[in-house]
Amino acid sequence: MSSVSESEVMQLHAEICAGLADPKRIMILYELVPGPRNVNDIAAALGAPQPQISRHLKVLRERGMVIAERHGATVAYTVADARIIQALDLLRQVLADKLRNQAALAATAASASE
Amino acid sequence: MSSVSESEVMQLHAEICAGLADPKRIMILYELVPGPRNVNDIAAALGAPQPQISRHLKVLRERGMVIAERHGATVAYTVADARIIQALDLLRQVLADKLRNQAALAATAASASE
DNA sequence: ATGTTACATTCGTCTATTCGCATATGTCAC
DNA sequence: GTGACATATGCGAATAGACGAATGTAACAT
């Protein structure tokens, strides 16, 4: 019966979004798309120190956005929900269009000043 | 020719996500879904002080996520891209499922301890 | 038990965000 | 011009986020 209040939902919604609000975390999530990866592999792939990646993974874990699974000495991380990647892709498209429009505007301005 | 580097894209991607990383901003964006709204209406609808809403709108504006259009004394705000709302909806669904699963788990635990 | 590899956490510091409050700007009506 | 309304911004305090560097824990092999 623990119904969640409207503002609590908004808070949780914002926390999930905040999980995406860091370039490294976005890169980590995309690294996990092809399949599970362990921490050192991610760190190596992104050229970032392992503790930094571990901390970012903790942020994502706390928000239920990735799943950690121990396999012996290593820990495999997975994206918890494919819709997280879908949302990232949507926002990436928004960004791509914005950059495209800016480039077009710049070209227009350039040709206007020729 | 201004090609944007990989990490710059990630930075911009993260900035858009950061635009969503606040409960009030999410509420503002959903307020704009039915149609354009001016600042005071949003502030009244959310029961928040006008300067706070104005600042949040500035954050969204700077990231190109909303469009401001002056009409006389008032300024009408619109969501710049419908995919922003789609992304929010996706993440909201992720959250809803998570809450549903947590509730189910709690119920299981409760029945196990009967 | 020791060593080695994999991962997580703590600490101190720095930067960024958010807020309330007051105030500035902008637009219109008169 | 003045006044009234709509929106934006400056300022200071409080809070949160991210980092590097060092250290702690966990799993396994020998």
Side-chain angles (χ1 to χ4, degrees):
Chain A
M1 300 301 130
S2 72
S3 69
V4 188
S5 82
E6 181 72 6
S7 61
E8 281 170 335
V9 170
M10 286 303 174
Q11 178 65 37
L12 294 170
H13 199 166
E15 281 173 16
I16 291 182
C17 293
L20 305 175
D22 185 281
K24 299 240 175 59
R25 285 200 291 271
I26 295 176
M27 291 192 271
I28 290 173
L29 286 167
Y30 277 120
E31 281 293 323
L32 300 184
V33 169
R37 288 261 201 154
N38 58 42
V39 181
N40 273 334
D41 288 352
I42 301 170
L46 301 186
Q50 172 269 323
Q52 182 184 127
I53 300 300
S54 187
R55 265 186 275 112
H56 281 305
L57 285 168
K58 181 181 189 175
V59 172
L60 296 171
R61 222 188 317 127
E62 287 170 346
R63 290 161 164 81
M65 301 168 74
V66 297
I67 296 170
E69 207 172 337
R70 255 222 127 86
H71 289 110
T74 73
V75 177
Y77 278 90
T78 323
V79 179
D81 193 311
R83 287 170 295 194
I84 293 172
I85 302 296
Q86 291 178 33
L88 275 179
D89 284 340
L90 278 171
L91 296 174
R92 176 100 84 168
Q93 289 169 25
V94 172
L95 172 60
D97 283 5
K98 198 151 62 81
L99 293 176
R100 212 168 40 74
N101 290 338
Q102 283 176 9
L105 282 179
T108 303
S111 68
S113 65
E114 271 171 6
Chain B
M1 304 296 135
S2 72
S3 70
V4 189
S5 82
E6 182 72 7
S7 61
E8 281 170 335
V9 171
M10 287 301 176
Q11 178 65 37
L12 294 170
H13 200 166
E15 280 173 16
I16 291 182
C17 292
L20 305 175
D22 183 282
K24 298 242 174 58
R25 285 200 290 270
I26 296 176
M27 291 193 271
I28 289 173
L29 286 168
Y30 276 121
E31 281 292 324
L32 301 184
V33 169
R37 289 261 202 152
N38 58 42
V39 181
N40 273 333
D41 288 351
I42 300 170
L46 302 186
Q50 173 269 324
Q52 184 184 128
I53 300 301
S54 185
R55 253 191 308 257
H56 281 306
L57 285 168
K58 181 181 189 174
V59 172
L60 296 171
R61 221 189 317 128
E62 286 170 346
R63 291 161 165 80
M65 301 168 73
V66 298
I67 295 169
E69 206 171 336
R70 259 223 123 87
H71 289 110
T74 73
V75 177
Y77 278 90
T78 322
V79 179
D81 193 312
R83 286 170 295 193
I84 293 172
I85 302 296
Q86 290 178 33
L88 275 179
D89 284 340
L90 278 171
L91 297 174
R92 175 100 87 168
Q93 289 168 25
V94 172
L95 172 60
D97 283 5
K98 196 151 63 83
L99 293 176
R100 215 168 39 74
N101 290 339
Q102 283 176 8
L105 282 180
T108 304
S111 68
S113 65
E114 272 170 6

